[in-house]
Amino acid sequence: MKQTYLQKENHEPGLYEIRLKGHLDARWEEWFEGLSIILDNDGTTILWGPVVDQAALYGLLRKVRDLGLPLVSVIQVDK
Amino acid sequence: MPILSTKLYIPLPRTTIVPRPRLIERLNEGLNRKLTLISASAGSGKTTLVSEWVAACGRSVAWLSLDEGDNDSTRFLTHLVAAVQRIAENIGESAVGALNSPQPPSTESILTILLNEISALPYPFVLVLDDYHVIDDKRIDDVLIFLLEHLPAQLHLVIATREDPQLPLGRLRARGHLSEQRAAALRFTPGEAATFLNQVMGLGLTADEISALEARTEGWIAGLQLAALSMQGHEDIPGFIRAFAGDNRYIVDYLIEEVLQRQPDPVRSFLLQTSILDRLHGPLCDAVTGQADGSVRLEALERGNFFVVPLDDKRSWYRYHHLFAEVLSVHLRAEQPDQVATLHRRASRWYEQQGSAANAIRHALAAEDFARAADLVELAWPAIRRSGQETALLGWLKALPEGLIQCRPVLSAGYAWSLLAGGELKAVEERLRDAERWLEPAADMREQPEALSAEMVVVDEEEFRRLPVSIAVYRAAHALALGDLQAAMKYARRVLELVPEDDHLPRGAAVGLLGLASWTNGDLEAAYCIFADGMANVQLAGNISDVIGGTIALADIRLAQGRLRQAMRTYKRGLQLAQEHSESVLRGAADIYVGMSELLLQHNDLHAATQHLMRSKEQGEYTGAPQNRYRWHVAMARIREAQGDLEGALDLLDEAAHLYVGGFFPNVRPVAALKTRVWIAQGRLSEAVDWAREEGLSIEDDLSYLREFEHITLARVLLAPYQNNRTNRSIVEIMEFLERLLQAAEEGERTGSVIEILIVQALAYHMQGDIPAALVPLERVLTLAEPEGYVRIFVDEGRPMATLLEAAAKQGIGLNYVRALLTGFGTDERWTPVSQVMNEPLSAREHDVLRLLRTDLSGPDIARELMVSLNTLRTHTKNIYDKLEVNNRRAAVRRAEELDLF
């Protein structure tokens, strides 16, 4: 049962919120493949939007890593 | 552009650097461990630190800067070896040879070769893998795990990465093998920040200002460096620091904007425009920016600490620090979105002028200028074909829009060939049709009017002119690979109609393919003549390595014709040709030695046969054609079989099956049938019967040359039960089947098969107890086999054949030859009738042990006599007891006497 659940998660698009430390300019939206950039007044940024699958999610996290942006959290939002 | 050398370039420590003695000291302490891991985010100063450290650590240094392309384990290993070769030139040559073979051996065996060579080095060295975070292929992590597990004392490994590698770090840490420096250690301390800002960058800041910057950047070096660049020439430094410290924005974003604002326009646009390049070079930058001062600018940027990394000593090539380049390119896209494609197109044009097709194509694709990319690919195609780089070509073609390729016949045909070379047979036909459409527009216009709405595009007129010929050659090869002989011959003949007498290469290819088709049909004499003619043309075209490869086919055909001596002459000629053209000697000679070995084995010269296989290995096991690699293992299996080591033979045959690559040569002796023959010798009949069922073989089958070897094997499988008890099929049916096989082989003049079928017939009569009937085929086979010096084909049959030969000798049949053959049995342990009573015959060594067991010698004495340890002797005696189904020495001797084993 758990297996089926996981597989479904791996292959279906989901909405994600990736929270980073520091504010990102709107020009980064294209870089992050169209995710919306939301600035929180606690000095963090939320990248929000649909992510097609796990591979795409890891690709995004890698981009975050390559900019040296400190990662605060990653959550999947219920649809 | 010297990509490889820039990847292996050891960055020189900068002169304007912040000394970091505490880190260097810790790193030096870690030198006696296996691995140093520098794991910290982008812009933490990892590369700078490592280059400063290794320059003064007192050891030789090998450096490899990784990039995404290294996610291919072959490429990674190639680069790894190249890096090590910088400190010890002769290391890793055989590893590289193995890697470049089309069927490389396991990564572990390649690494073992390399590590053995490293462990022979007289001095220690450091190997640095920089930017390891780009690696996300598990196989490469496995390479490093293996490396660390078997690390020679000479080698200290350093990994610099933005994320922890997938290695067992916990275990390495616990065992004291790991020395690591992480983000917290790399961060500038307030003291280091002060040195950097005031001494290196000459800013003259107060302690408070420094501490504010240090707090805002958290000692992150890239942040501090950018901040320093922003402040240079700034009128209000305290104001800048206040604003910066109070801002939440992503540091790099904020600071790059600041930096760019402070630059004069030409510098600013230079930085933005050249951010599309992954490597920077003065003239290349000029081509992209339309300015003329690229080299000067790059030098100035380096001097000004502008995140420019030199890639060679001459300051000819640079790159931007990755982080800096990424942020710059985002700014470029935001500010001048329309410019991006133009810049890439300019870069593409510059690379084209430099003759660097791959880079020109890459930038054209990045510019989404697909027409240009297609032009470039079309022009690059002949060179790609010559160098065999069809994989790269496939990658580019798959990035191009379908419609664009379809209206380019030269490109479509090149696509077809690349697919054929890559074994993607299914998609070949469609591409060939795309190409052909443009050759006969009149016919197609009626059928597909919409298809010709696009214009035909041809860049390479010469290739276009040759297209009908090229397409026909590809079609012939495609059909042959699919086993469609009719079509293969049709297209090959079309090639011959199309090309003039003196156009040797396509003629040779077409004639050669015709020869192979005849061979596949079992029409051997014609096949030999035609194929030899084809090779003569290929030789005239100057393609010697193909001619040497072709000798294998010619000798194989001769072997099937039962002309062993001519086969040997063919091989010798091929070898001579290889030696005359010593540049290609490696390619074909290894395969020729294997062929010679098989012939020598047939003459029962096991020693020379083995030696030739060793010689083949010396040539470089992996320098032969990929389609021939399995042959070495088949040849060795047959030698093992001749030595009585049937299990060893089976292992080798399994390996051969694993290595088998179907080519354009017919597979006339399938490995599965060879295995079945060994099973029969072992008495494993149910496995043999399963094979026949799985292959769908039956004695009612229509006969064809392609299945001849399997059909003869089938007859042997069906006859095997008669040796013990009489069951199953009526022997009459099997005899009829053999007669039918014989007729077919005789009609095709395939004397090799005729000889074996006659032998099986003789054995079948022998089984039925009818010696006079057996002598009829035997006498014929002796006449056929004697002039060619066949031995093994008789000796392999063991005791029954010996009995028959003795009977023949008594009647005065083939006296000298038969006597010689009977001596051949003398050295063969299967001379003894064990196979009928024992599940597994004793090996020669076990026979030796058995003979000594019969004496009064004690165990230790026997061991001494045989020059083995007592343990080994126990293994031998245990095996003997198992085989004889006894459990003590006296019973073993008695049983052996019963079996007439002495």
Side-chain angles (χ1 to χ4, degrees):
Chain A
M1 298 287 266
K2 197 177 175 193
Q3 192 65 31
T4 347
Y5 179 62
L6 276 177
Q7 282 189 348
K8 198 173 155 198
E9 278 210 332
N10 285 340
H11 300 300
E12 282 191 9
L15 277 177
Y16 280 87
E17 284 182 13
I18 302 171
R19 192 180 286 265
L20 314 166
K21 199 166 156 197
H23 281 169
L24 265 189
D25 193 276
R27 67 164 75 91
W28 289 91
E29 286 191 350
E30 189 197 327
W31 185 261
F32 284 109
E33 331 222 318
L35 293 191
S36 304
I37 289 181
I38 302 161
L39 304 182
D40 193 317
N41 57 16
D42 65 355
T44 60
T45 298
I46 300 161
L47 296 173
W48 175 90
V51 178
V52 255
D53 55 17
Q54 289 288 300
L57 180 61
Y58 281 113
L60 284 168
L61 294 180
R62 183 163 285 216
K63 287 189 167 190
V64 169
R65 177 201 74 187
D66 284 341
L67 293 175
L69 281 162
L71 181 63
V72 179
S73 67
V74 180
I75 52 171
Q76 191 182 12
V77 194
D78 285 338
K79 277 172 275 185
Chain B
M1 180 172 49
I3 290 209
L4 183 60
S5 68
T6 62
K7 283 176 70 70
L8 306 182
Y9 176 72
I10 307 170
L12 287 177
R14 307 165 65 93
T15 43
T16 55
I17 201 174
V18 178
R20 315 192 78 183
R22 90 199 138 89
L23 283 176
I24 302 288
E25 195 180 316
R26 275 197 249 158
L27 288 168
N28 276 332
E29 282 164 14
L31 258 181
N32 54 2
R33 305 185 174 198
K34 287 185 170 186
L35 170 67
T36 295
L37 175 67
I38 319 273
S39 187
S41 63
S44 302
K46 298 182 291 293
T47 305
T48 310
L49 174 66
V50 176
S51 65
E52 189 197 349
W53 167 46
V54 296
C57 76
R59 294 196 184 180
S60 301
V61 179
W63 189 288
L64 176 56
S65 299
L66 298 164
D67 58 51
E68 272 83 8
D70 292 309
N71 270 305
D72 171 291
S73 61
T74 306
R75 205 181 128 161
F76 175 80
L77 284 170
T78 310
H79 289 163
L80 189 78
V81 172
V84 177
Q85 281 175 338
R86 286 285 168 109
I87 57 145
E89 245 178 78
N90 300 325
I91 258 181
E93 273 165 16
S94 46
V96 170
L99 274 169
N100 290 335
S101 70
Q103 293 269 306
S106 76
T107 309
E108 290 193 357
S109 49
I110 295 175
L111 284 171
T112 306
I113 303 173
L114 184 66
L115 290 174
N116 284 338
E117 290 179 3
I118 288 176
S119 65
L121 284 178
Y123 47 84
F125 72 101
V126 174
L127 170 62
V128 182
L129 300 177
D130 198 9
D131 288 336
Y132 191 77
H133 54 265
V134 298
I135 300 300
D136 57 7
D137 187 327
K138 173 133 189 347
R139 280 170 300 184
I140 293 172
D141 294 326
D142 290 343
V143 166
L144 285 198
I145 292 170
F146 185 87
L147 216 60
L148 286 167
E149 277 170 3
H150 302 89
L151 204 72
Q154 282 86 341
L155 174 54
H156 180 77
L157 191 65
V158 179
I159 293 178
T161 176
R162 291 176 187 173
E163 66 177 41
D164 282 359
Q166 299 302 304
L167 306 175
L169 294 179
R171 203 190 322 152
L172 290 165
R173 240 177 241 128
R175 294 190 183 161
H177 293 324
L178 180 65
S179 154
E180 57 189 320
Q181 302 301 330
R182 312 187 61 88
L186 264 74
R187 196 172 283 166
F188 269 169
T189 61
E192 286 168 333
T195 310
F196 173 70
L197 294 166
N198 286 343
Q199 289 175 21
V200 177
M201 302 300 285
L203 286 164
L205 305 178
T206 67
D208 282 351
E209 287 167 341
I210 288 168
S211 112
L213 285 172
E214 212 264 333
R216 171 67 174 99
T217 59
E218 297 176 354
W220 187 43
I221 293 175
L224 281 165
Q225 192 176 338
L226 274 170
L229 289 172
S230 315
M231 287 182 284
Q232 277 181 335
H234 207 294
E235 281 157 21
D236 180 14
I237 288 184
F240 167 85
I241 292 175
R242 260 197 314 277
F244 178 43
D247 193 283
N248 270 329
R249 289 170 64 192
Y250 170 43
I251 293 176
V252 184
D253 226 4
Y254 179 91
L255 292 173
I256 279 188
E257 213 157 277
E258 286 286 322
V259 172
L260 288 175
Q261 265 175 23
R262 323 237 121 245
Q263 303 310 316
D265 272 350
V267 177
R268 188 187 144 78
S269 60
F270 181 89
L271 287 169
L272 288 175
Q273 294 183 335
T274 54
S275 70
I276 62 148
L277 300 169
D278 56 0
R279 282 176 164 80
L280 305 164
H281 176 56
L284 169 59
C285 293
D286 292 344
V288 169
T289 60
Q291 307 294 316
D293 46 8
S295 300
V296 181
R297 284 227 184 283
L298 288 170
E299 277 168 41
L301 289 174
E302 191 201 350
R303 272 199 311 276
N305 284 313
F306 260 93
F307 295 88
V308 177
V309 185
L311 294 174
D312 55 36
D313 288 328
K314 289 184 228 138
R315 299 298 193 258
S316 172
W317 288 89
Y318 296 85
R319 66 171 172 81
Y320 287 122
H321 188 283
H322 299 305
L323 177 65
F324 191 65
E326 278 167 28
V327 179
L328 277 181
S329 80
V330 167
H331 280 253
L332 169 71
R333 268 162 230 277
E335 286 179 30
Q336 309 169 23
D338 315 334
Q339 275 291 304
V340 179
T342 312
L343 297 170
H344 276 296
R345 209 172 288 133
R346 289 177 186 164
S348 172
R349 209 166 297 136
W350 185 84
Y351 276 120
E352 184 192 5
Q353 283 157 6
Q354 302 301 308
S356 175
N359 283 304
I361 293 165
R362 186 168 52 83
H363 277 291
L365 288 172
E368 301 197 352
D369 188 343
F370 296 121
R372 174 178 173 76
D375 286 354
L376 291 166
V377 174
E378 186 167 328
L379 289 171
W381 151 238
I384 290 167
R385 188 180 40 191
R386 272 195 301 276
S387 59
Q389 291 178 313
E390 279 89 358
T391 324
L393 184 73
L394 270 184
W396 294 327
L397 287 169
K398 286 177 179 171
L400 290 174
E402 268 302 280
L404 203 71
I405 301 173
Q406 282 168 343
C407 62
R408 290 169 183 254
V410 175
L411 217 48
S412 297
Y415 207 153
W417 176 250
S418 311
L419 292 165
L420 203 52
E424 294 182 45
L425 298 184
K426 273 189 198 146
V428 174
E429 178 59 32
E430 192 190 336
R431 298 296 165 188
L432 287 174
R433 236 177 254 163
D434 285 343
E436 259 169 351
R437 227 153 30 98
W438 302 100
L439 299 177
E440 306 161 49
D444 267 293
M445 196 107 66
R446 286 187 297 275
E447 289 166 32
Q448 300 171 290
E450 79 285 0
L452 288 188
S453 56
E455 290 270 321
M456 175 174 80
V457 181
V458 169
V459 195
D460 190 338
E461 291 288 346
E462 171 69 15
E463 278 295 315
F464 181 68
R465 222 175 31 73
R466 304 179 64 87
L467 213 49
V469 174
S470 307
I471 290 176
V473 172
Y474 302 160
R475 275 201 187 284
H478 184 219
L480 193 63
L482 291 175
D484 183 351
L485 296 184
Q486 290 303 315
M489 290 187 330
K490 185 179 91 186
Y491 291 115
R493 289 201 187 99
R494 183 175 300 168
V495 175
L496 297 180
E497 286 161 19
L498 289 171
V499 294
E501 285 290 332
D502 59 350
D503 197 352
H504 297 297
L505 197 57
R507 271 203 99 75
V511 174
L513 287 165
L514 279 176
L516 294 179
S518 297
W519 179 15
T520 310
N521 263 334
D523 199 353
L524 299 179
E525 191 54 36
Y528 184 90
C529 296
I530 297 169
F531 193 77
D533 180 29
M535 287 302 108
N537 270 287
V538 171
Q539 192 165 355
L540 282 173
N543 204 337
I544 302 299
S545 69
D546 281 351
V547 179
I548 296 168
T551 57
I552 307 290
L554 290 173
D556 263 3
I557 295 172
R558 284 302 191 222
L559 192 63
Q561 290 180 309
R563 299 192 199 166
L564 304 188
R565 301 194 190 281
Q566 286 187 357
M568 189 55 107
R569 273 201 290 279
T570 303
Y571 280 136
K572 283 184 177 160
R573 265 204 311 277
L575 211 50
Q576 200 184 341
L577 193 62
Q579 277 150 1
E580 283 165 11
H581 298 79
S582 52
E583 76 280 2
S584 54
V585 66
L586 289 176
R587 199 71 201 169
D591 295 334
I592 289 179
Y593 282 123
V594 173
M596 288 177 145
S597 166
E598 291 199 71
L599 294 174
L600 290 162
L601 178 65
Q602 186 54 263
H603 298 317
N604 208 24
D605 189 345
L606 266 64
H607 179 69
T610 313
Q611 265 190 336
H612 275 69
L613 286 187
M614 293 306 131
R615 208 167 291 166
S616 169
K617 260 222 165 107
E618 281 164 22
Q619 294 290 317
E621 189 181 348
Y622 310 107
T623 54
Q627 290 83 1
N628 292 336
R629 260 194 83 198
Y630 83 101
R631 287 170 177 252
W632 192 95
H633 293 80
V634 168
M636 192 45 116
R638 300 197 119 187
I639 292 175
R640 286 277 154 75
E641 204 182 335
Q643 290 167 334
D645 177 6
L646 300 183
E647 280 303 322
L650 282 178
D651 287 346
L652 282 158
L653 288 174
D654 282 336
E655 184 69 8
H658 174 68
L659 293 173
Y660 181 79
V661 181
F664 298 121
F665 295 1
N667 184 16
V668 290
R669 196 181 51 178
V671 176
L674 287 165
K675 271 180 74 176
T676 303
R677 288 167 174 228
V678 180
W679 283 335
I680 297 174
Q682 288 180 320
R684 289 159 72 176
L685 296 188
S686 66
E687 274 146 300
V689 170
D690 285 346
W691 163 81
R693 190 169 40 236
E694 275 162 29
E695 297 295 329
L697 291 164
S698 140
I699 59 173
E700 280 92 32
D701 286 346
D702 288 334
L703 302 182
S704 75
Y705 170 55
L706 264 189
R707 304 215 86 172
E708 196 159 68
F709 188 82
E710 289 172 298
H711 278 139
I712 299 172
T713 310
L714 173 66
R716 288 174 175 277
V717 172
L718 296 175
L719 282 169
Y722 285 92
Q723 289 197 334
N724 303 326
N725 43 358
R726 290 142 201 268
T727 50
N728 287 333
R729 275 202 183 270
S730 105
I731 191 113
V732 180
E733 280 179 301
I734 305 172
M735 298 308 283
E736 278 170 8
F737 179 52
L738 281 169
E739 195 55 38
R740 213 149 60 84
L741 279 169
L742 182 65
Q743 262 177 28
E746 280 172 337
E747 276 164 24
E749 296 177 349
R750 298 188 291 272
T751 309
S753 301
V754 170
I755 288 175
E756 193 190 347
I757 296 164
L758 287 170
I759 285 176
V760 177
Q761 282 185 328
L763 291 170
Y765 283 122
H766 175 251
M767 270 172 218
Q768 298 166 68
D770 190 348
I771 303 279
L775 290 184
V776 179
L778 189 68
E779 185 170 4
R780 257 198 82 196
V781 82
L782 288 168
T783 322
L784 289 171
E786 181 173 9
E788 298 293 334
Y790 279 93
V791 177
R792 206 64 230 175
I793 203 164
F794 295 98
V795 175
D796 279 341
E797 305 295 346
R799 180 80 177 184
M801 180 51 71
T803 314
L804 280 178
L805 288 172
E806 277 163 359
K810 270 182 205 145
Q811 300 206 5
I813 298 171
L815 259 184
N816 288 333
Y817 185 40
V818 167
R819 215 168 284 146
L821 287 177
L822 282 169
T823 25
F825 285 87
T827 57
D828 182 33
E829 49 276 8
R830 268 176 296 170
W831 167 240
T832 50
V834 283
S835 60
Q836 292 193 11
V837 198
M838 288 168 58
N839 289 329
E840 218 182 319
L842 298 183
S843 72
R845 199 61 171 157
E846 285 159 1
H847 268 285
D848 294 340
V849 176
L850 186 63
R851 272 191 288 276
L852 292 168
L853 288 177
R854 203 188 190 188
T855 66
D856 303 334
L857 291 178
S858 68
D861 287 340
I862 295 177
R864 220 168 294 130
E865 179 81 12
L866 293 170
M867 290 185 288
V868 298
S869 72
L870 213 47
N871 262 336
T872 305
L873 178 67
R874 272 192 213 111
T875 310
H876 283 309
T877 45
K878 202 174 109 1
N879 288 342
I880 293 170
Y881 293 173
D882 284 351
K883 287 180 181 177
L884 296 177
E885 293 168 355
V886 297
N887 47 27
N888 63 57
R889 183 168 172 176
R890 189 183 302 171
V893 171
R894 198 170 49 234
R895 179 95 177 102
E897 278 166 352
E898 283 167 17
L899 290 169
D900 201 16
L901 289 182
F902 293 111

